[in-house]
Amino acid sequence: MADISKRFGRRHLRGTSSAWVRHHRAGKLAHEGTGLSFWFRPLTAALSEVPVDDRELAVTIHARTADFQDLAVQSTLTYRIADPTRAAERIDFSLDPDTGTWRAAPLDQLAGLLTETAQQHAAEVLASTPLATALTEGVTAVHARVTEGLAAEPRLPATGVEVVALRIVALRPEPEVERALRTPTRERVQQEADRATYERRAVAVERERAIAENELASKVELARREEQLVDQRGTNARRAAEEEAAADAVRAEAEAARTVRLAEAEATRTRRLAEAEAEGLRTSGEARAAARAAWLSVHEGTAPATLHALSIDRAAEQLPRIERVTVTPDTVADLIGRFTGGEPRA
């Protein structure tokens, strides 16, 4: 808006580059253009300010489709006032000389004109389109129809308004209808998610089964190898036992042969010892017999008393040696009695 200040009963207006200002003094045009700055008297001045920059207008259009479903079209309309002189003549853009504000609401009037025009053309195209088609293809159709309608609307050029751009943001049905329409898609998406989950689970189960089969195959292979190992150990043990038995048999045979040889040698030695001993006994007997015969032949003519003495002497040689003899009085008396022929003492 224009900046108006007071100085000594006069007013000073300072405009902007995006606002077109027109000043009439006593019914005559005094100033006109953008970016103006001038003094004026409030009692004789008529001021108008028209914005010439681009303006954006949010337009919500309510229409009904061919299948009698309410639909809301959310769009944004960009426009500008290309001819401010004509706009000032057709719409009230007059300013209050004291406050610098519009006396009316010109932009609301322009917004109503643009909204009604856009709604008219959007309703026409949606009225012949089913809801499902409108939701899938309606944005392009509504955009094209509303753009053509705004360009062909004669009131806009007559007001000096130019439509710069139109953007259709969204087409939305009523909340209940929108939820109903979302349900199949949600169900389909949920089914796809469930299917993906099931497939993922199936893949996981298949992988677990493969892992379990691999583990089982590994266990079977280990068991088979353990069985082979046990068989091999048994074979080795049997072979070792057989070899040990064969070695024991060889050792037993060798021991038996050695024992037999030792027994034979012992028997031979015993026999030889017996023969030697017998030969010695025979020789000793023969020697004793010869000695006895010689002794007898020597003493053949000896007196019997002498032979008795010799016999006693020979017998004494065979007696044990007596180291000490204890003679008691009784023994002496007994001996004396025997030698004298008397009675032994009691």
Side-chain angles (χ1 to χ4, degrees), residues 90-257:
R90 299 292 298 270
I91 299 175
D92 186 8
F93 283 96
S94 61
L95 294 177
D96 187 341
D98 294 328
T99 61
T101 59
W102 281 318
R103 296 179 184 273
L107 295 183
D108 293 342
Q109 187 175 352
L110 283 178
L113 174 62
L114 294 171
T115 301
E116 290 176 359
T117 305
Q119 185 167 356
Q120 175 185 355
H121 296 287
E124 290 177 358
V125 69
L126 291 175
S128 60
T129 306
L131 178 62
T133 306
L135 292 176
T136 56
E137 304 174 0
V139 173
T140 303
V142 170
H143 182 274
R145 183 63 176 272
V146 172
T147 301
E148 293 176 359
L150 291 174
E153 178 61 38
R155 291 184 299 172
L156 297 180
T159 313
V161 177
E162 179 183 355
V163 177
V164 178
L166 174 66
R167 296 188 300 277
I168 304 298
V169 179
L171 276 71
R172 293 188 178 278
E174 292 184 350
E176 296 81 3
V177 177
E178 187 173 6
R179 283 194 296 269
L181 293 174
R182 287 178 179 177
T183 299
T185 303
R186 287 182 177 178
E187 292 294 333
R188 185 170 61 254
V189 172
Q190 185 64 38
Q191 290 176 2
E192 292 294 330
D194 294 340
R195 184 178 61 81
T197 301
Y198 296 151
E199 290 179 355
R200 185 170 60 254
R201 290 180 180 176
V203 172
V205 170
E206 182 65 22
R207 291 179 179 177
E208 291 179 357
R209 185 184 64 79
I211 293 173
E213 289 181 354
N214 292 334
E215 292 179 353
L216 181 60
S218 300
K219 291 181 180 179
V220 171
E221 182 65 20
L222 290 175
R224 186 180 64 80
R225 292 186 179 181
E226 288 180 358
E227 182 180 2
Q228 292 179 353
L229 180 60
V230 170
D231 294 341
Q232 187 63 36
R233 287 178 176 175
T235 302
N236 295 339
R238 184 171 60 254
R239 185 178 301 172
E242 291 176 355
E243 292 179 356
E244 185 68 19
D248 291 341
V250 172
R251 285 195 295 270
E253 291 178 358
E255 186 67 21

Side-chain angles (χ1 to χ4, degrees), residues 18 20 27 45 49 82 160 184 189 194 196 202 298 320 346:
S18 60
W20 180 86
E49 183 184 39
V189 172
D194 294 340
V298 171

Side-chain angles (χ1 to χ4, degrees), residues 283-323:
T283 303
S284 177
E286 290 177 354
R288 284 196 301 271
R292 190 176 297 276
W295 186 80
L296 290 176
S297 64
V298 171
H299 296 87
E300 184 177 359
T302 306
T306 305
L307 293 175
H308 286 293
L310 291 173
S311 298
I312 292 171
D313 184 50
R314 295 290 299 273
E317 291 178 359
Q318 301 299 323
L319 292 175
R321 183 179 179 182
I322 299 173
E323 296 291 338

